[in-house]
Each structure stands twice: as C-alpha cells, then as structure tokens.
Amino acid sequence: METIKTASFIEAITALLEEIHVGPPDPRATWITSNRPGSGALGTLDTLSAETASTPPAPGLNTIAAHAGHLLFALSLALRAMHGENPYAAVKWSESWGTQTVDAAAWKALRAELRRVHEGLLAAIRTGPPLDNPDVFKGVIALVGHGAYHLGTVQTIHRMLARRDEGA
C-alpha cells in the first residue's frame, strides 16, 4: 500500500478549509460549497446583518450568531492544539454557544476574529502540524466536516428566516 505524502494531505485539507470557511478560490471547481464566490461560512456571514444573525429560526434554537461563535470556539481550540497545547482537557463545550445575540459592532468583531483564527489555523497546518499524532490527524480531518456542517446550518437558518420574513 502506498502512503499519502504529507504535502498532498496538507494541500487538500487547507484547500477544503479555505472553501468551507471563505469560499471556493475558483468557483468553477468546488468540492463542498456552491460555485459562487464567497459561498463559504465567512462569505455567507458577511452578507447577514447583526439582526438577522441574532434571530432564532424557532423558539429555543440557536441563532446564526451562536453557530458563528461556536465555530470560532472550535477553531480557536484547534489552533491552540496545532501549537502544542492540550486545550480540550478542561473545555466546556456548552460555553461555545453563549453568543446568541450580537449588535453591529460585536457581529463585525466576531467575523473578524473568525477570519483571523481561520488564517492562523491554515498557517499552522501548512507549517507542519504533528500529523504523526493520531488525535491531531483526526482533529485536522474533523475540521472539514465540522465546518461544512455549520456552513450548511447557517445557510439553512438564513433561508428559513428569509422565507419567514417574506411571509410576514
């Protein structure tokens, strides 16, 4: 059996994370998002107002702002892990959903921090995470599925809110 070259794996993972978080670099070639520029999580979030991001799709459900905050929380932990920390030992995942509402300034700051952490994470992956550690390897792969899930959920909530507003 042949082995996967680390450089090929890193190129594939970073390209998928870029597509999920920002959007496809080449809209004619996508793997996960639509073929529109900016169709990743950050591009999608950038099109939404703080009011929309703070509106729950139904009573008791998480808002788009909460999904963005949760994604930031998870990516921040992953970035710390890439730098050799073990940030997961005492983490309280329930706290990652604490941001349900945002004003315009907080919404802008959350998106800017999400973008900063995304860039830092890609840089850390490109400079060589300890992929010989099975947990780090699984964690890097899981970032793709986790990001894709939240992208789809954010887009679904946005469509639900838009339809609700049209019907009002």
Side-chain angles (χ1 to χ4, degrees):
M1 178 194 300
E2 292 187 39
T3 58
I4 299 171
K5 293 182 179 169
T6 301
S8 296
F9 174 78
I10 289 171
E11 181 182 328
I13 287 292
T14 56
L16 291 173
L17 290 173
E18 183 72 14
E19 182 179 338
I20 290 165
H21 294 153
V22 178
D26 178 359
R28 295 171 293 160
T30 64
W31 296 98
I32 297 167
T33 62
S34 74
N35 60 354
R36 292 181 339 273
S39 59
L42 289 165
T44 300
L45 297 176
D46 285 344
T47 68
L48 306 176
S49 68
E51 180 182 7
T52 298
S54 300
T55 303
L61 296 183
N62 288 312
T63 64
I64 290 171
H67 282 272
H70 171 80
L71 188 58
L72 173 59
F73 186 89
L75 293 180
S76 296
L77 291 174
L79 179 56
R80 290 172 52 199
M82 289 291 138
H83 291 296
E85 291 182 50
N86 179 10
Y88 303 104
V91 71
K92 294 181 182 166
W93 283 99
S94 60
E95 293 176 1
S96 70
W97 295 98
T99 303
Q100 293 290 331
T101 60
V102 288
D103 60 17
W107 184 231
K108 182 177 180 180
L110 191 151
R111 290 179 291 126
E113 184 65 3
L114 190 53
R115 187 169 267 106
R116 185 192 70 75
V117 170
H118 159 76
E119 292 297 332
L121 189 56
L122 290 188
I125 292 170
R126 286 183 179 119
T127 58
L131 294 176
D132 57 336
N133 177 329
D135 287 335
V136 172
F137 191 83
K138 287 183 283 189
V140 169
I141 293 169
L143 291 171
V144 173
H146 186 249
Y149 167 79
H150 287 288
L151 169 61
T153 301
V154 163
Q155 290 175 339
T156 299
I157 293 170
H158 181 232
R159 282 191 299 273
M160 289 172 65
L161 295 174
R163 284 188 187 124
R164 186 168 65 194
D165 289 346
E166 288 171 2

